Structures are given as structure tokens and as C-alpha cells.
Amino acid sequence: MNSFYKTPDDSIKEYVKSILVIEDFKVTNPFTLPLFANGCPTLLFQTKKVLVNKQSSGHFTLFGQTIKPGALTIYEDFTLIAYFLKPHSLVTLFDVAGNELSDTHVDLDLLKSANHNDVEDQLLNFTSADDMIAILNKYISDLIHKKKTDASKIGNAATLIEKNSIGDNLKTVQKDLCVTEKTFQRMFETNVGISPRLYKRIYQFNRAFQQLNSRNFLKLSDIAYENSYADQSHYTRTFKEFTNLTPKQYVEFSTPRT
């Protein structure tokens, strides 16, 4: 098994944040991948069909914003490739309003605007993750060239929120768009799928989550304060909201047993 993150090529990096690859995973017990809020819609391909939140899903799937914690379960040996998209990519590349896919997903063969043609068949005929990534890169590049919607303003707004997810900058971002607060809210919910305030909370949580995963802390309270939570109780409540676990439970759960 080979698992790694890959930086997207220049040709697609305006719409793709990162790529997760899990290659040649040998399943002895059902493999479960937690689905936690990270602010990114996701294009997912896996060589075996899966259960998403206990419901059957196909090989090639588009996910909207994840808010409630969920899980993806696979019962057979597999390779999985996940393209974590920038928040405006749903409406720009797939002509899908963000709020139509929040906390849900759709198989690409059911989405007319996906233009995926025989891409899924090509992917299933390869065993190398590098070959699959080449096909997926071309697929996204083709979507970029055919895009009908320009959501760059919302994309820029989301980037500004991400860069200062622990500060209070929503008013500044709204003014930069030259719109009213109500219009800003509506634009964000339609294109991204969630409100600007929730998007900001998710990025604050995700920043803290990455620090927790890296084990770059002495005490859990350090993570709370370094990510501008009022106190450790506030951080714990937010963490449980997005994962159904406390930070302590997550650390215990994710620590390899010897």
C-alpha cells in the first residue's frame, strides 16, 4: 500500500487544492475512511464500489461540502484517488450549485453536465495510480476549457477567508466584493454550498485538525489557543460537531497500536 498527497499540476491548480492517493490497499477488514469537513468539494475515484454513509456508491463520484461527519467503507482491495477541489469548482466546472450537493454526493454518470463520457472506463482499465492521475488531470483540464460559469469572485473571497480563518474578516471580504451582506450570504451559499461564517468555522477547525494530526502540540489547550478558540471547551465542542469525537478520543483512535 502506498498513500500520499500530490500537488496538482499548474494546468488545474486554480481549481484543485490537493490530491490524495491510496494505491494498492489490501483489505483484510473493511476499510473505513472518515469524511470530515474540510471546506473542499471532492472528485473521488476508486477501483471498487463503496458505501458512503452506509449507502451504495459507484466508482466515480462528486461530493459537495461535507458538514456532518460521515464515512466511506470499502470491502475489497482498491486504489483510491481524491481530488480536493476549490470551493467554487462545483458551479464553474460541473454547473452544479454548491447548495445542491452540501452533505451529499452524486455519481458522475448521473450528472449530465459532468461530460465524463468514457473516463470511468479508462480509469478502470488502468492499475497504475500515475496513469489514473494523468486521465483525471486531462478530464479536469477539459472541463476548465469548457466552463460556462465564472465564479472567480467567490473563489477569491473564499481564499481571503481561508487566509484569515482565525480572524474577523468577513465584513472586509464582503466589501471587497462590493455587495450587501445579504447578497454576499446568498452568493456564497449558492456557489459554495454553505454560509461564509460556516466556511470560516470549518477552516478554523481544519487548521486546528491539521495541527492535531501532526502531533505538533504539548497540550490540547495549546491547539485551542493557537487557533483562536476562546478556550479548550470551545475547541472540543467544535471538534465534536465536525467529527462526532472529542480531540482526545480522536488522538487515541488514530494512534497506531503496538
PDB file of all heavy atoms in Angstrom, residues 84-116:
ATOM      1  N   PHE A  84      -9.280  17.101  -4.120  1.00  0.00           N
ATOM      2  CA  PHE A  84      -9.927  18.079  -3.258  1.00  0.00           C
ATOM      3  C   PHE A  84      -9.993  19.406  -4.017  1.00  0.00           C
ATOM      4  O   PHE A  84      -8.959  20.024  -4.306  1.00  0.00           O
ATOM      5  CB  PHE A  84      -9.172  18.227  -1.945  1.00  0.00           C
ATOM      6  CG  PHE A  84      -9.166  16.957  -1.131  1.00  0.00           C
ATOM      7  CD1 PHE A  84      -8.008  16.216  -0.984  1.00  0.00           C
ATOM      8  CD2 PHE A  84     -10.335  16.493  -0.542  1.00  0.00           C
ATOM      9  CE1 PHE A  84      -8.002  15.031  -0.244  1.00  0.00           C
ATOM     10  CE2 PHE A  84     -10.348  15.313   0.197  1.00  0.00           C
ATOM     11  CZ  PHE A  84      -9.173  14.579   0.348  1.00  0.00           C
ATOM     12  N   LEU A  85     -11.211  19.799  -4.357  1.00  0.00           N
ATOM     13  CA  LEU A  85     -11.429  20.944  -5.237  1.00  0.00           C
ATOM     14  C   LEU A  85     -11.560  22.248  -4.462  1.00  0.00           C
ATOM     15  O   LEU A  85     -11.936  22.248  -3.282  1.00  0.00           O
ATOM     16  CB  LEU A  85     -12.693  20.718  -6.069  1.00  0.00           C
ATOM     17  CG  LEU A  85     -12.777  19.400  -6.845  1.00  0.00           C
ATOM     18  CD1 LEU A  85     -14.152  19.254  -7.481  1.00  0.00           C
ATOM     19  CD2 LEU A  85     -11.689  19.325  -7.903  1.00  0.00           C
ATOM     20  N   LYS A  86     -11.282  23.343  -5.128  1.00  0.00           N
ATOM     21  CA  LYS A  86     -11.528  24.647  -4.529  1.00  0.00           C
ATOM     22  C   LYS A  86     -13.042  24.897  -4.512  1.00  0.00           C
ATOM     23  O   LYS A  86     -13.785  24.337  -5.326  1.00  0.00           O
ATOM     24  CB  LYS A  86     -10.767  25.730  -5.291  1.00  0.00           C
ATOM     25  CG  LYS A  86      -9.261  25.534  -5.168  1.00  0.00           C
ATOM     26  CD  LYS A  86      -8.465  26.719  -5.649  1.00  0.00           C
ATOM     27  CE  LYS A  86      -6.979  26.471  -5.424  1.00  0.00           C
ATOM     28  NZ  LYS A  86      -6.123  27.596  -5.870  1.00  0.00           N
ATOM     29  N   PRO A  87     -13.536  25.693  -3.566  1.00  0.00           N
ATOM     30  CA  PRO A  87     -14.980  25.739  -3.305  1.00  0.00           C
ATOM     31  C   PRO A  87     -15.844  26.219  -4.454  1.00  0.00           C
ATOM     32  O   PRO A  87     -17.020  25.863  -4.535  1.00  0.00           O
ATOM     33  CB  PRO A  87     -15.091  26.681  -2.099  1.00  0.00           C
ATOM     34  CG  PRO A  87     -13.817  27.452  -2.083  1.00  0.00           C
ATOM     35  CD  PRO A  87     -12.773  26.533  -2.626  1.00  0.00           C
ATOM     36  N   HIS A  88     -15.290  27.004  -5.378  1.00  0.00           N
ATOM     37  CA  HIS A  88     -16.096  27.495  -6.499  1.00  0.00           C
ATOM     38  C   HIS A  88     -16.092  26.529  -7.684  1.00  0.00           C
ATOM     39  O   HIS A  88     -16.723  26.802  -8.712  1.00  0.00           O
ATOM     40  CB  HIS A  88     -15.587  28.867  -6.957  1.00  0.00           C
ATOM     41  CG  HIS A  88     -14.180  28.851  -7.489  1.00  0.00           C
ATOM     42  ND1 HIS A  88     -13.100  28.488  -6.735  1.00  0.00           N
ATOM     43  CD2 HIS A  88     -13.677  29.165  -8.721  1.00  0.00           C
ATOM     44  CE1 HIS A  88     -12.001  28.567  -7.456  1.00  0.00           C
ATOM     45  NE2 HIS A  88     -12.326  28.972  -8.664  1.00  0.00           N
ATOM     46  N   SER A  89     -15.421  25.388  -7.553  1.00  0.00           N
ATOM     47  CA  SER A  89     -15.271  24.466  -8.680  1.00  0.00           C
ATOM     48  C   SER A  89     -16.568  23.761  -9.061  1.00  0.00           C
ATOM     49  O   SER A  89     -16.761  23.403 -10.224  1.00  0.00           O
ATOM     50  CB  SER A  89     -14.200  23.421  -8.365  1.00  0.00           C
ATOM     51  OG  SER A  89     -12.940  24.034  -8.187  1.00  0.00           O
ATOM     52  N   LEU A  90     -17.452  23.535  -8.106  1.00  0.00           N
ATOM     53  CA  LEU A  90     -18.700  22.836  -8.417  1.00  0.00           C
ATOM     54  C   LEU A  90     -19.493  23.573  -9.477  1.00  0.00           C
ATOM     55  O   LEU A  90     -19.901  23.010 -10.489  1.00  0.00           O
ATOM     56  CB  LEU A  90     -19.552  22.667  -7.154  1.00  0.00           C
ATOM     57  CG  LEU A  90     -19.113  21.609  -6.147  1.00  0.00           C
ATOM     58  CD1 LEU A  90     -20.096  21.567  -4.989  1.00  0.00           C
ATOM     59  CD2 LEU A  90     -18.992  20.250  -6.788  1.00  0.00           C
ATOM     60  N   VAL A  91     -19.708  24.861  -9.234  1.00  0.00           N
ATOM     61  CA  VAL A  91     -20.533  25.630 -10.170  1.00  0.00           C
ATOM     62  C   VAL A  91     -19.760  25.936 -11.449  1.00  0.00           C
ATOM     63  O   VAL A  91     -20.325  25.960 -12.544  1.00  0.00           O
ATOM     64  CB  VAL A  91     -21.062  26.921  -9.504  1.00  0.00           C
ATOM     65  CG1 VAL A  91     -19.929  27.904  -9.207  1.00  0.00           C
ATOM     66  CG2 VAL A  91     -22.124  27.578 -10.364  1.00  0.00           C
ATOM     67  N   THR A  92     -18.465  26.142 -11.358  1.00  0.00           N
ATOM     68  CA  THR A  92     -17.672  26.513 -12.525  1.00  0.00           C
ATOM     69  C   THR A  92     -17.458  25.341 -13.478  1.00  0.00           C
ATOM     70  O   THR A  92     -17.660  25.467 -14.685  1.00  0.00           O
ATOM     71  CB  THR A  92     -16.299  27.063 -12.089  1.00  0.00           C
ATOM     72  OG1 THR A  92     -16.483  28.172 -11.215  1.00  0.00           O
ATOM     73  CG2 THR A  92     -15.493  27.537 -13.297  1.00  0.00           C
ATOM     74  N   LEU A  93     -17.056  24.202 -12.940  1.00  0.00           N
ATOM     75  CA  LEU A  93     -16.696  23.063 -13.795  1.00  0.00           C
ATOM     76  C   LEU A  93     -17.856  22.109 -14.057  1.00  0.00           C
ATOM     77  O   LEU A  93     -17.945  21.519 -15.134  1.00  0.00           O
ATOM     78  CB  LEU A  93     -15.535  22.278 -13.162  1.00  0.00           C
ATOM     79  CG  LEU A  93     -14.255  23.063 -12.876  1.00  0.00           C
ATOM     80  CD1 LEU A  93     -13.177  22.121 -12.361  1.00  0.00           C
ATOM     81  CD2 LEU A  93     -13.777  23.812 -14.107  1.00  0.00           C
ATOM     82  N   PHE A  94     -18.732  21.960 -13.066  1.00  0.00           N
ATOM     83  CA  PHE A  94     -19.795  20.958 -13.190  1.00  0.00           C
ATOM     84  C   PHE A  94     -21.187  21.571 -13.320  1.00  0.00           C
ATOM     85  O   PHE A  94     -22.176  20.841 -13.432  1.00  0.00           O
ATOM     86  CB  PHE A  94     -19.760  20.010 -11.985  1.00  0.00           C
ATOM     87  CG  PHE A  94     -18.472  19.243 -11.863  1.00  0.00           C
ATOM     88  CD1 PHE A  94     -17.440  19.713 -11.071  1.00  0.00           C
ATOM     89  CD2 PHE A  94     -18.282  18.063 -12.564  1.00  0.00           C
ATOM     90  CE1 PHE A  94     -16.241  19.015 -10.959  1.00  0.00           C
ATOM     91  CE2 PHE A  94     -17.087  17.360 -12.459  1.00  0.00           C
ATOM     92  CZ  PHE A  94     -16.065  17.844 -11.659  1.00  0.00           C
ATOM     93  N   ASP A  95     -21.248  22.898 -13.285  1.00  0.00           N
ATOM     94  CA  ASP A  95     -22.527  23.601 -13.417  1.00  0.00           C
ATOM     95  C   ASP A  95     -23.532  23.117 -12.370  1.00  0.00           C
ATOM     96  O   ASP A  95     -24.718  22.956 -12.642  1.00  0.00           O
ATOM     97  CB  ASP A  95     -23.095  23.412 -14.834  1.00  0.00           C
ATOM     98  CG  ASP A  95     -24.168  24.451 -15.167  1.00  0.00           C
ATOM     99  OD1 ASP A  95     -24.132  25.539 -14.582  1.00  0.00           O
ATOM    100  OD2 ASP A  95     -25.038  24.151 -16.002  1.00  0.00           O
ATOM    101  N   VAL A  96     -23.030  22.875 -11.173  1.00  0.00           N
ATOM    102  CA  VAL A  96     -23.872  22.435 -10.054  1.00  0.00           C
ATOM    103  C   VAL A  96     -23.787  23.483  -8.945  1.00  0.00           C
ATOM    104  O   VAL A  96     -22.681  23.831  -8.509  1.00  0.00           O
ATOM    105  CB  VAL A  96     -23.398  21.070  -9.501  1.00  0.00           C
ATOM    106  CG1 VAL A  96     -24.207  20.682  -8.267  1.00  0.00           C
ATOM    107  CG2 VAL A  96     -23.519  19.999 -10.566  1.00  0.00           C
ATOM    108  N   ALA A  97     -24.935  23.983  -8.506  1.00  0.00           N
ATOM    109  CA  ALA A  97     -24.937  24.928  -7.390  1.00  0.00           C
ATOM    110  C   ALA A  97     -24.432  24.218  -6.136  1.00  0.00           C
ATOM    111  O   ALA A  97     -24.805  23.074  -5.863  1.00  0.00           O
ATOM    112  CB  ALA A  97     -26.350  25.473  -7.161  1.00  0.00           C
ATOM    113  N   GLY A  98     -23.577  24.906  -5.396  1.00  0.00           N
ATOM    114  CA  GLY A  98     -22.986  24.291  -4.208  1.00  0.00           C
ATOM    115  C   GLY A  98     -24.015  23.785  -3.226  1.00  0.00           C
ATOM    116  O   GLY A  98     -23.837  22.726  -2.614  1.00  0.00           O
ATOM    117  N   ASN A  99     -25.112  24.538  -3.069  1.00  0.00           N
ATOM    118  CA  ASN A  99     -26.108  24.131  -2.073  1.00  0.00           C
ATOM    119  C   ASN A  99     -26.915  22.908  -2.501  1.00  0.00           C
ATOM    120  O   ASN A  99     -27.659  22.341  -1.713  1.00  0.00           O
ATOM    121  CB  ASN A  99     -27.050  25.293  -1.723  1.00  0.00           C
ATOM    122  CG  ASN A  99     -27.695  25.925  -2.940  1.00  0.00           C
ATOM    123  OD1 ASN A  99     -27.589  25.402  -4.057  1.00  0.00           O
ATOM    124  ND2 ASN A  99     -28.357  27.049  -2.748  1.00  0.00           N
ATOM    125  N   GLU A 100     -26.771  22.454  -3.748  1.00  0.00           N
ATOM    126  CA  GLU A 100     -27.452  21.234  -4.186  1.00  0.00           C
ATOM    127  C   GLU A 100     -26.714  19.972  -3.723  1.00  0.00           C
ATOM    128  O   GLU A 100     -27.303  18.887  -3.673  1.00  0.00           O
ATOM    129  CB  GLU A 100     -27.565  21.203  -5.713  1.00  0.00           C
ATOM    130  CG  GLU A 100     -28.505  22.253  -6.297  1.00  0.00           C
ATOM    131  CD  GLU A 100     -28.589  22.157  -7.809  1.00  0.00           C
ATOM    132  OE1 GLU A 100     -28.091  21.174  -8.378  1.00  0.00           O
ATOM    133  OE2 GLU A 100     -29.152  23.082  -8.420  1.00  0.00           O
ATOM    134  N   LEU A 101     -25.423  20.110  -3.396  1.00  0.00           N
ATOM    135  CA  LEU A 101     -24.629  18.930  -3.040  1.00  0.00           C
ATOM    136  C   LEU A 101     -24.095  18.964  -1.614  1.00  0.00           C
ATOM    137  O   LEU A 101     -23.317  18.078  -1.235  1.00  0.00           O
ATOM    138  CB  LEU A 101     -23.457  18.767  -4.005  1.00  0.00           C
ATOM    139  CG  LEU A 101     -23.718  18.065  -5.336  1.00  0.00           C
ATOM    140  CD1 LEU A 101     -22.428  17.861  -6.107  1.00  0.00           C
ATOM    141  CD2 LEU A 101     -24.407  16.718  -5.136  1.00  0.00           C
ATOM    142  N   SER A 102     -24.489  19.953  -0.812  1.00  0.00           N
ATOM    143  CA  SER A 102     -23.985  20.002   0.560  1.00  0.00           C
ATOM    144  C   SER A 102     -24.390  18.748   1.321  1.00  0.00           C
ATOM    145  O   SER A 102     -25.553  18.349   1.325  1.00  0.00           O
ATOM    146  CB  SER A 102     -24.531  21.244   1.285  1.00  0.00           C
ATOM    147  OG  SER A 102     -24.001  22.415   0.713  1.00  0.00           O
ATOM    148  N   ASP A 103     -23.411  18.112   1.950  1.00  0.00           N
ATOM    149  CA  ASP A 103     -23.615  16.886   2.725  1.00  0.00           C
ATOM    150  C   ASP A 103     -24.197  15.740   1.899  1.00  0.00           C
ATOM    151  O   ASP A 103     -24.901  14.878   2.418  1.00  0.00           O
ATOM    152  CB  ASP A 103     -24.503  17.143   3.948  1.00  0.00           C
ATOM    153  CG  ASP A 103     -23.685  17.376   5.207  1.00  0.00           C
ATOM    154  OD1 ASP A 103     -22.529  16.926   5.264  1.00  0.00           O
ATOM    155  OD2 ASP A 103     -24.194  18.035   6.124  1.00  0.00           O
ATOM    156  N   THR A 104     -23.910  15.745   0.597  1.00  0.00           N
ATOM    157  CA  THR A 104     -24.347  14.635  -0.238  1.00  0.00           C
ATOM    158  C   THR A 104     -23.384  14.481  -1.409  1.00  0.00           C
ATOM    159  O   THR A 104     -22.379  15.191  -1.503  1.00  0.00           O
ATOM    160  CB  THR A 104     -25.808  14.828  -0.722  1.00  0.00           C
ATOM    161  OG1 THR A 104     -26.256  13.618  -1.348  1.00  0.00           O
ATOM    162  CG2 THR A 104     -25.927  15.972  -1.701  1.00  0.00           C
ATOM    163  N   HIS A 105     -23.687  13.552  -2.310  1.00  0.00           N
ATOM    164  CA  HIS A 105     -22.799  13.282  -3.452  1.00  0.00           C
ATOM    165  C   HIS A 105     -23.635  12.767  -4.610  1.00  0.00           C
ATOM    166  O   HIS A 105     -24.809  12.401  -4.446  1.00  0.00           O
ATOM    167  CB  HIS A 105     -21.740  12.246  -3.066  1.00  0.00           C
ATOM    168  CG  HIS A 105     -22.314  10.915  -2.678  1.00  0.00           C
ATOM    169  ND1 HIS A 105     -22.844  10.672  -1.419  1.00  0.00           N
ATOM    170  CD2 HIS A 105     -22.477   9.750  -3.365  1.00  0.00           C
ATOM    171  CE1 HIS A 105     -23.281   9.440  -1.357  1.00  0.00           C
ATOM    172  NE2 HIS A 105     -23.081   8.852  -2.528  1.00  0.00           N
ATOM    173  N   VAL A 106     -23.029  12.726  -5.787  1.00  0.00           N
ATOM    174  CA  VAL A 106     -23.722  12.224  -6.965  1.00  0.00           C
ATOM    175  C   VAL A 106     -22.726  11.433  -7.819  1.00  0.00           C
ATOM    176  O   VAL A 106     -21.568  11.824  -7.970  1.00  0.00           O
ATOM    177  CB  VAL A 106     -24.355  13.382  -7.774  1.00  0.00           C
ATOM    178  CG1 VAL A 106     -23.287  14.354  -8.285  1.00  0.00           C
ATOM    179  CG2 VAL A 106     -25.177  12.857  -8.944  1.00  0.00           C
ATOM    180  N   ASP A 107     -23.165  10.290  -8.332  1.00  0.00           N
ATOM    181  CA  ASP A 107     -22.331   9.536  -9.273  1.00  0.00           C
ATOM    182  C   ASP A 107     -22.202  10.341 -10.562  1.00  0.00           C
ATOM    183  O   ASP A 107     -23.186  10.898 -11.058  1.00  0.00           O
ATOM    184  CB  ASP A 107     -22.953   8.173  -9.587  1.00  0.00           C
ATOM    185  CG  ASP A 107     -22.820   7.201  -8.421  1.00  0.00           C
ATOM    186  OD1 ASP A 107     -22.160   7.546  -7.433  1.00  0.00           O
ATOM    187  OD2 ASP A 107     -23.393   6.094  -8.506  1.00  0.00           O
ATOM    188  N   LEU A 108     -21.007  10.396 -11.115  1.00  0.00           N
ATOM    189  CA  LEU A 108     -20.767  11.214 -12.305  1.00  0.00           C
ATOM    190  C   LEU A 108     -21.620  10.780 -13.491  1.00  0.00           C
ATOM    191  O   LEU A 108     -22.009  11.611 -14.313  1.00  0.00           O
ATOM    192  CB  LEU A 108     -19.281  11.171 -12.686  1.00  0.00           C
ATOM    193  CG  LEU A 108     -18.383  12.307 -12.170  1.00  0.00           C
ATOM    194  CD1 LEU A 108     -18.589  13.573 -12.965  1.00  0.00           C
ATOM    195  CD2 LEU A 108     -18.597  12.580 -10.702  1.00  0.00           C
ATOM    196  N   ASP A 109     -21.951   9.501 -13.587  1.00  0.00           N
ATOM    197  CA  ASP A 109     -22.743   9.062 -14.741  1.00  0.00           C
ATOM    198  C   ASP A 109     -24.202   9.515 -14.647  1.00  0.00           C
ATOM    199  O   ASP A 109     -24.963   9.382 -15.606  1.00  0.00           O
ATOM    200  CB  ASP A 109     -22.662   7.548 -14.933  1.00  0.00           C
ATOM    201  CG  ASP A 109     -23.132   6.769 -13.714  1.00  0.00           C
ATOM    202  OD1 ASP A 109     -23.554   7.398 -12.725  1.00  0.00           O
ATOM    203  OD2 ASP A 109     -23.090   5.530 -13.767  1.00  0.00           O
ATOM    204  N   LEU A 110     -24.599  10.078 -13.506  1.00  0.00           N
ATOM    205  CA  LEU A 110     -25.948  10.624 -13.356  1.00  0.00           C
ATOM    206  C   LEU A 110     -25.974  12.133 -13.541  1.00  0.00           C
ATOM    207  O   LEU A 110     -27.039  12.745 -13.518  1.00  0.00           O
ATOM    208  CB  LEU A 110     -26.508  10.277 -11.969  1.00  0.00           C
ATOM    209  CG  LEU A 110     -26.654   8.787 -11.650  1.00  0.00           C
ATOM    210  CD1 LEU A 110     -27.171   8.609 -10.221  1.00  0.00           C
ATOM    211  CD2 LEU A 110     -27.586   8.111 -12.638  1.00  0.00           C
ATOM    212  N   LEU A 111     -24.796  12.734 -13.736  1.00  0.00           N
ATOM    213  CA  LEU A 111     -24.694  14.187 -13.838  1.00  0.00           C
ATOM    214  C   LEU A 111     -24.391  14.561 -15.282  1.00  0.00           C
ATOM    215  O   LEU A 111     -23.268  14.407 -15.755  1.00  0.00           O
ATOM    216  CB  LEU A 111     -23.578  14.682 -12.904  1.00  0.00           C
ATOM    217  CG  LEU A 111     -23.483  16.177 -12.649  1.00  0.00           C
ATOM    218  CD1 LEU A 111     -24.734  16.705 -11.960  1.00  0.00           C
ATOM    219  CD2 LEU A 111     -22.257  16.486 -11.792  1.00  0.00           C
ATOM    220  N   LYS A 112     -25.400  15.052 -15.987  1.00  0.00           N
ATOM    221  CA  LYS A 112     -25.243  15.350 -17.418  1.00  0.00           C
ATOM    222  C   LYS A 112     -24.136  16.359 -17.682  1.00  0.00           C
ATOM    223  O   LYS A 112     -23.412  16.273 -18.674  1.00  0.00           O
ATOM    224  CB  LYS A 112     -26.566  15.862 -17.994  1.00  0.00           C
ATOM    225  CG  LYS A 112     -27.663  14.811 -18.056  1.00  0.00           C
ATOM    226  CD  LYS A 112     -28.941  15.387 -18.658  1.00  0.00           C
ATOM    227  CE  LYS A 112     -30.027  14.326 -18.724  1.00  0.00           C
ATOM    228  NZ  LYS A 112     -31.300  14.866 -19.283  1.00  0.00           N
ATOM    229  N   SER A 113     -24.002  17.343 -16.802  1.00  0.00           N
ATOM    230  CA  SER A 113     -23.006  18.400 -17.024  1.00  0.00           C
ATOM    231  C   SER A 113     -21.583  17.925 -16.808  1.00  0.00           C
ATOM    232  O   SER A 113     -20.628  18.640 -17.106  1.00  0.00           O
ATOM    233  CB  SER A 113     -23.291  19.585 -16.094  1.00  0.00           C
ATOM    234  OG  SER A 113     -23.225  19.179 -14.734  1.00  0.00           O
ATOM    235  N   ALA A 114     -21.393  16.702 -16.277  1.00  0.00           N
ATOM    236  CA  ALA A 114     -20.045  16.227 -15.957  1.00  0.00           C
ATOM    237  C   ALA A 114     -19.209  15.944 -17.199  1.00  0.00           C
ATOM    238  O   ALA A 114     -17.976  15.988 -17.153  1.00  0.00           O
ATOM    239  CB  ALA A 114     -20.129  14.960 -15.109  1.00  0.00           C
ATOM    240  N   ASN A 115     -19.857  15.627 -18.345  1.00  0.00           N
ATOM    241  CA  ASN A 115     -19.133  15.350 -19.586  1.00  0.00           C
ATOM    242  C   ASN A 115     -18.037  14.305 -19.394  1.00  0.00           C
ATOM    243  O   ASN A 115     -16.944  14.438 -19.924  1.00  0.00           O
ATOM    244  CB  ASN A 115     -18.504  16.650 -20.127  1.00  0.00           C
ATOM    245  CG  ASN A 115     -19.554  17.651 -20.549  1.00  0.00           C
ATOM    246  OD1 ASN A 115     -20.569  17.280 -21.140  1.00  0.00           O
ATOM    247  ND2 ASN A 115     -19.333  18.909 -20.237  1.00  0.00           N
ATOM    248  N   HIS A 116     -18.336  13.278 -18.611  1.00  0.00           N
ATOM    249  CA  HIS A 116     -17.263  12.330 -18.295  1.00  0.00           C
ATOM    250  C   HIS A 116     -17.114  11.229 -19.342  1.00  0.00           C
ATOM    251  O   HIS A 116     -16.101  10.540 -19.369  1.00  0.00           O
ATOM    252  CB  HIS A 116     -17.468  11.737 -16.903  1.00  0.00           C
ATOM    253  CG  HIS A 116     -18.428  10.608 -16.842  1.00  0.00           C
ATOM    254  ND1 HIS A 116     -19.735  10.712 -17.227  1.00  0.00           N
ATOM    255  CD2 HIS A 116     -18.258   9.319 -16.425  1.00  0.00           C
ATOM    256  CE1 HIS A 116     -20.336   9.549 -17.042  1.00  0.00           C
ATOM    257  NE2 HIS A 116     -19.473   8.695 -16.572  1.00  0.00           N
TER     258      HIS A 116
END
